[in-house]
Amino acid sequence: MHNSKDLVDGTDRKSDQYWADVTEEYNKTTEVCRRRNRNQLKIRWDRVKKPVSEFHGCWVRTNKAYRSGMSDDQLMEIAEKMYASDHSDKEFMLKHIWKVVRGERKWSAYVKKME
């Protein structure tokens, strides 16, 4: 998200420059044995964005139906069950990513674009 909202460089960078910056930032904050190249990071993002957006849809539906008197933990549990039932009882394993992107305007715009 840091590179997506960079006010100094702006958001109008070409794809190659954007992913070069993402790769540099990722590798700067990652152990040497876990470093990735630009292609690996792009492929990873392509693989996670669909399930994350599908879980987000479950979260939104859960909030609309059960908002009153329920904690976020209870809502999360219901959203996880909803996701699992929609995906052959497969658990949603990307909560750590969803928690980072869910409140971001750029993510909300991406989700609306997918709809």
Side-chain angles (χ1 to χ4, degrees):
M1 291 307 299
H2 168 75
N3 286 293
S4 295
K5 302 186 309 183
D6 189 341
L7 297 176
V8 175
D9 291 330
T11 56
D12 295 329
R13 291 174 282 175
K14 299 232 185 274
S15 177
D16 287 342
Q17 182 59 49
Y18 170 79
W19 282 104
D21 292 346
V22 169
T23 304
E24 180 182 343
E25 184 73 22
Y26 177 84
N27 287 331
K28 194 170 27 172
T29 59
T30 304
E31 298 174 34
V32 174
C33 64
R34 296 193 51 119
R35 293 196 175 155
R36 302 289 183 258
N37 65 39
R38 181 178 56 125
N39 236 19
Q40 290 169 317
L41 293 175
K42 284 176 72 173
I43 289 168
R44 178 68 177 149
W45 176 244
D46 282 341
R47 287 183 182 153
V48 302
K49 64 185 174 185
K50 184 176 184 221
V52 170
S53 65
E54 288 172 350
F55 179 78
H56 186 73
C58 293
W59 173 258
V60 169
R61 288 194 314 261
T62 299
N63 269 288
K64 286 180 181 175
Y66 298 100
R67 172 167 262 162
S68 180
M70 297 190 88
S71 71
D72 278 351
D73 291 338
Q74 291 170 316
L75 293 172
M76 179 66 83
E77 194 173 308
I78 294 168
E80 288 171 343
K81 287 178 182 176
M82 186 183 297
Y83 180 89
S85 72
D86 291 347
H87 294 86
S88 306
D89 291 327
K90 186 177 177 185
E91 184 180 345
F92 180 63
M93 302 298 291
L94 303 169
K95 284 179 271 228
H96 59 288
I97 295 172
W98 176 76
K99 286 179 180 181
V100 171
V101 300
R102 76 177 182 160
E104 299 292 339
R105 287 189 312 191
K106 188 165 188 158
W107 174 254
S108 297
Y110 172 76
V111 170
K112 283 183 182 181
K113 183 179 169 185
M114 283 187 65
E115 291 171 354

